[in-house]
């Protein structure tokens, strides 16, 4: 290994770690507020008294707004300083988080989450990526993303565990308010770190050559590899949707209390991210491809759903459902950093990263715009019976298998692209700069 490569693979510096913490706190705080009902579905049902259809409509409203904002967020990140956008998101989500704590009714809550779709997505969908890409070299990218998601897990699991204890000791409403308060604290910490710890980049937009134009969008999505990546990413979001519906199932058929469910979900959501994200990052760096970790993620996803389908349902087998949740959240923890690295494998220029990530994130959010409404419809028409839940599980299994095919196509196309670059003597590291 050359001295240049040795430097590139060197340990991350204290400042790099500090900046990763700053972005991770912003993600944990704003996403925790924006995706609260997705992560803590059962708690939302209990604390607000909503039914599946109402909660599905709220999540759909947020996601529909998010799809549009993800598309606009990439171009916005190519024009406005990243730090300014992150500060705006931290502030806006904090204010709306306070509004959630007032326990508003269904109509007001839907409006709050429409607003969160703007401030929680539009301002950050490209800006987080811009800052993260700037932190390290391309060779360090796998670890930067891996440790980034690991840190998100550490701060988020702390929040969830504290809130679970409060729910067990008091009520769902009190625990929810504690969770929101901790998310707001994370937003404040993030803004302080980025403001004082990265002074030289306060007004930085990205690469100086980065100038967004509408012509960039078709350039980003024109390749078959990028299309396959978009579909692959969309499939992986269904891990979260499936986990949401397992929560009321645990409460109804496995008789697990809400406080315990919140504890399990917190550990699964964030604990698996702490373990899996850095592992996926290191494997990606070592193998020089993120496709293998993503394939493992799909195997976890499909295997977990099959276990849930065939295991007998009852209090005595509650441990099996915990394993299922760990597999599903492990799949998501592996996939998050890996699929971001796959954007580089698609040979997207780094100057177009904000736009590429916006398109990628928008497509991944599309299932949330209708899956929660569809899922509620299946469950309510089936009377929330075991048969209704199993029909829902079969739908998720079929979808995961179909989406996995596009990962295989991506792998074939990537192999051909690498062979072509080798024949032409092209350095892909330079091509994506």
């Amino acid at each position: 290994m050359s001295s240049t490569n040795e430097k590139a693979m060197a340990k991350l510096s204290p400042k790099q770690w500090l900046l990763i913490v700053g972005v991770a706190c912003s993600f944990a705080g704003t996403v925790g507020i924006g995706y609260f009902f997705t992560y803590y579905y059962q708690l939302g049902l209990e604390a607000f008294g909503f039914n599946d259809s109402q909660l599905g409509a709220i999540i759909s409203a947020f996601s529909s707004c998010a799809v549009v904002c993800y598309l606009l967020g990439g171009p916005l990140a190519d024009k406005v300083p990243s730090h300014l956008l992150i500060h705006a998101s931290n502030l806006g989500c904090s204010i709306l988080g306070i509004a959630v704590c007032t326990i508003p009714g269904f109509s007001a809550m839907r409006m709050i989450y429409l607003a969160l779709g703007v401030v929680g997505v539009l301002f950050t969908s490209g800006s987080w990526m811009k800052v993260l890409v700037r932190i390290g070299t391309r060779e360090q990218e796998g670890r930067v993303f891996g440790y980034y998601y690991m840190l998100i897990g550490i701060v988020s699991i702390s929040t969830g565990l504290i809130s679970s204890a409060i729910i067990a000791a008091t009520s769902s409403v009190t625990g929810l308010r504690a969770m929101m308060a901790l998310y707001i604290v994370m937003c404040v910490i993030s803004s302080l770190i980025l403001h004082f710890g990265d002074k030289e980049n306060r007004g930085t937009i990205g690469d100086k050559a980065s100038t967004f134009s509408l012509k960039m969008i078709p350039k980003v999505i024109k390749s078959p590899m990028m299309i396959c990546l978009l579909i692959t990413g969309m499939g992986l979001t269904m891990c979260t949707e499936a986990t949401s519906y397992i929560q009321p199932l645990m409460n109804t058929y496995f008789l697990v209390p809400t406080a315990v469910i919140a504890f399990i979900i917190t550990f699964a959501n964030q604990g698996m991210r702490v373990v899996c994200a850095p592992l996926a990052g290191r494997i990606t760096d070592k193998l020089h491809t993120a496709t293998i970790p993503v394939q493992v993620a799909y195997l976890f996803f499909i295997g977990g759903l099959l276990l849930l389908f065939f295991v007998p349902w009852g209090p005595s087998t509650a441990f099996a459902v915990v394993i299922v949740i760990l597999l599903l959240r492990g799949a998501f923890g592996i996939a998050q950093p890996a699929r971001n690295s796959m954007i580089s494998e698609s040979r997207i220029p780094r100057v177009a990263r904000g736009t590429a990530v916006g398109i990628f994130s928008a497509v991944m959010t599309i299932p949330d715009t209708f899956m929660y409404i569809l899922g509620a419809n299946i469950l309510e028409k089936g009377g929330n019976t075991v048969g209704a839940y199993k029909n829902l599980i079969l739908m998720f299994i079929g979808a995961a298998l179909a989406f996995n095919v596009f990962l295989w196509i991506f792998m074939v196309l990537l192999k051909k692209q690498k062979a072509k670059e080798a024949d032409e003597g092209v350095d892909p590291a330079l091509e994506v700069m």
Side-chain angles (χ1 to χ4, degrees), residues 52-53 374-385 388 391:
D52 286 310
S53 293
L374 177 61
N377 186 50
I378 292 173
L379 293 178
E380 291 177 0
K381 280 189 175 180
N384 290 86
T385 61
N391 286 337

Side-chain angles (χ1 to χ4, degrees), residues 21-41:
V21 170
V23 183
C25 283
S26 177
F27 183 104
T30 59
V31 171
I33 295 170
Y35 284 87
F36 181 82
F37 291 122
T38 303
Y39 291 159
Y40 296 98
Y41 191 87

Side-chain angles (χ1 to χ4, degrees), residues 320-344:
V321 188
V322 176
I323 293 173
V324 171
I325 291 175
L326 291 175
L327 284 171
L328 265 59
R329 296 313 301 179
F332 199 70
I334 292 170
Q336 271 191 314
R339 69 192 181 197
N340 283 325
S341 294
M342 282 176 70
I343 294 176
S344 292

